[in-house]
Amino acid sequence: MKYYIIAGEASGDLHGANLMKELYKADPNAEIRFWGGDLMQAVGGTLVKHYRDLAFMGFAEVVANLKTIFNNIKLCKEDITAFKPDAIIFIDYPGFNMRIAQWAKQQGIPTHYYISPQIWAWKESRIKAIKRDVDKMYIILPFEKDFYEDKHSFAVEFVGHPLIDAIHNRTPTNEAAFRKEHNLDSRPVIALLPGSRKQEISKMLSGMLSVVNDFPDYQFVIAGAPSQEYDFYEPFLTNDSVHFISNKTYDLLSIAHAALVTSGTATLETALFKVPEVVCYKGGWISYQIAKRIITLKFISLVNLIMDKEVVKELIQSDFNTKNIHTELKKILDPQHRANLLKQYDELEKRLGGAGASFNTANLIVKNFNSHY
């Protein structure tokens, strides 16, 4: 069976790689062509386009790069036509993937969507396109099942959250060796996860690093994104208590005592590693003004959304300032506050349904194909 997978971000590359591993097990004759990244490429198959060439952040940047985006859509359609897949698997990345799904449905190619677009947060009107263009939807957040099935009468499969697999199946980090390799001393580590795109990294790091001198008993470590080069981060490394480690975020989180995390999937990853965190976000003024008018959620972090209450503190836009960062970081370093937070993290993991998301999804895709042919 021939599969065409489209993942447009670092998180999609991670989940796509684990899904590919399970597809090869469920279908030994699988032939896979994909848009993704280094992790998917390491599993096998043929990489068509790397996600680093697709990442445009914010409304203004998207508008400025429309020509490139439309050229990528054209390339994708042409490549799918030449490959003639038995199924297309979309992984999140809705702005691009929903366009391809509409076209693919018209071509009669079975469409599978793994990791739903977050239409419960904004653009709920996309449900019409999803019901029209997506044959099978595999969801990873428990509250999404009620959203799709009860509110919109669209059957979905809750497969569990793939981050649990990714974290539980990884090789444990040798902390002593990791500290020695990266010249970390014995002080507790505060991890800084500023995002993956240049615009957000620049905005987030300037704030996160503003409190370094307030916490001399700790060392701060920037988690470098695989899509960015060291030269980009170098101007931020002016303090002896600040270190930089690229493309080893899970190893870093496994030894971290606390973290400052840009909103996104990383907030959930940090919680699943049982690291107390403060969630941070500051976008461009135009993008933020537009977003706050169309997004009606109570929270921006997945941790709080899944728990339906404030478990981790969110510092958004003007609240993301030195004074607040200092106050909230000090709180999560307090032993009693930490203990309460870790109990909430345990409950969070239970709600996510346990391991097996990649296995469940791969086998459902293969089973669905076999039942129709």
Side-chain angles (χ1 to χ4, degrees):
M1 188 171 164
K2 298 169 73 173
Y3 306 87
Y4 200 98
I5 304 176
I6 305 175
E9 298 173 301
S11 59
D13 181 38
L14 171 65
H15 303 321
N18 288 327
L19 179 63
M20 286 171 64
K21 292 174 185 177
E22 296 299 337
L23 279 172
Y24 281 127
K25 293 176 185 177
D27 179 5
N29 297 316
E31 184 178 348
I32 301 176
R33 194 168 176 87
F34 62 92
W35 294 45
D38 298 343
L39 297 177
M40 294 173 74
Q41 191 169 23
V43 176
T46 301
L47 174 66
V48 179
K49 194 85 171 177
H50 200 288
Y51 69 78
R52 70 168 66 97
D53 300 324
L54 307 173
F56 300 112
M57 179 189 177
F59 299 95
E61 192 190 359
V62 168
V63 171
N65 289 278
L66 280 176
K67 183 178 180 181
T68 299
I69 293 169
F70 285 125
N71 284 339
N72 284 334
I73 290 172
K74 181 183 178 189
L75 169 64
C76 188
K77 291 177 180 178
E78 291 173 347
D79 196 61
I80 291 171
T81 300
F83 184 57
K84 297 181 175 63
D86 296 299
I88 300 179
I89 303 169
F90 304 101
I91 301 179
D92 200 2
Y93 199 53
F96 187 92
N97 276 336
M98 287 305 301
R99 289 177 178 270
I100 301 299
Q102 181 180 6
W103 170 84
K105 187 70 173 180
Q106 295 169 352
Q107 311 308 308
I109 306 172
T111 54
H112 299 257
Y113 217 118
Y114 177 43
I115 306 178
S116 164
Q118 295 179 351
I119 64 171
W120 37 265
W122 72 307
K123 288 193 176 182
E124 189 170 345
S125 59
R126 274 180 170 159
I127 186 62
K128 296 178 182 178
I130 288 174
K131 294 173 78 169
R132 182 191 67 212
D133 301 328
V134 176
D135 294 319
K136 297 291 181 180
M137 175 70 78
Y138 310 97
I139 60 168
I140 63 172
L141 298 171
F143 60 80
E144 290 179 323
K145 192 167 182 68
D146 290 339
F147 174 84
Y148 276 110
E149 297 190 342
D150 294 347
K151 187 174 184 180
H152 292 292
S153 301
F154 181 64
V156 296
E157 295 278 0
F158 175 58
V159 295
H161 205 292
L163 281 180
I164 295 177
D165 292 337
I167 292 170
H168 286 188
N169 295 338
R170 60 185 292 275
T171 302
T173 303
N174 182 316
E175 180 170 353
F178 184 78
R179 284 177 176 270
K180 182 177 181 180
E181 178 185 358
H182 298 287
N183 298 314
L184 302 179
D185 57 40
S186 60
R187 290 176 296 171
V189 167
I190 295 176
L192 305 181
L193 279 62
S196 60
R197 302 179 180 95
K198 287 184 177 179
Q199 294 89 342
E200 66 180 352
I201 293 170
S202 296
K203 285 186 175 72
M204 303 313 300
L205 274 182
S206 59
M208 292 175 173
L209 292 172
S210 69
V211 300
V212 170
N213 291 332
D214 298 342
F215 297 90
D217 295 333
Y218 297 84
Q219 56 194 322
F220 292 70
V221 182
I222 299 170
S227 55
Q228 305 300 338
E229 300 295 331
Y230 172 78
D231 290 349
F232 173 71
Y233 292 95
E234 193 171 13
F236 297 99
L237 304 176
T238 59
N239 189 307
D240 290 341
S241 288
V242 179
H243 302 263
F244 172 79
I245 299 176
S246 181
N247 200 21
K248 292 188 177 180
T249 301
Y250 279 13
D251 289 320
L252 175 59
L253 286 175
S254 72
I255 72 161
H257 188 70
L260 301 177
V261 186
T262 298
S263 65
T265 304
T267 65
L268 185 56
E269 291 173 312
T270 303
L272 291 174
F273 270 99
K274 308 302 167 64
V275 179
E277 65 182 303
V278 179
V279 175
C280 310
Y281 180 76
K282 187 172 186 177
W285 187 86
I286 294 176
S287 296
Y288 176 72
Q289 292 301 319
I290 295 173
K292 77 175 185 177
R293 286 164 172 77
I294 60 178
I295 298 176
T296 58
L297 297 175
K298 292 186 293 182
F299 307 109
I300 64 169
S301 72
L302 284 171
V303 175
N304 292 342
L305 286 169
I306 293 167
M307 296 296 286
D308 196 27
K309 62 181 179 180
E310 186 183 74
V311 173
V312 295
K313 183 65 177 180
E314 299 179 352
L315 299 179
I316 306 170
Q317 211 65 7
S318 60
D319 288 337
F320 178 66
N321 58 59
T322 300
K323 179 181 177 181
N324 288 342
I325 297 169
H326 174 97
T327 298
E328 297 304 327
L329 181 54
K330 189 174 181 179
K331 284 182 183 177
I332 63 173
L333 295 175
D334 174 73
Q336 184 174 347
H337 186 93
R338 293 172 60 83
N340 292 332
L341 188 54
L342 294 179
K343 288 181 182 178
Q344 297 292 324
Y345 283 175
D346 290 339
E347 176 60 27
L348 169 74
E349 186 164 352
K350 290 179 183 176
R351 293 193 184 188
L352 288 174
S358 304
F359 172 86
N360 293 336
T361 304
N363 281 273
L364 283 168
I365 292 171
V366 173
K367 180 181 177 181
N368 181 69
F369 178 82
N370 290 336
S371 67
H372 284 81
Y373 297 94

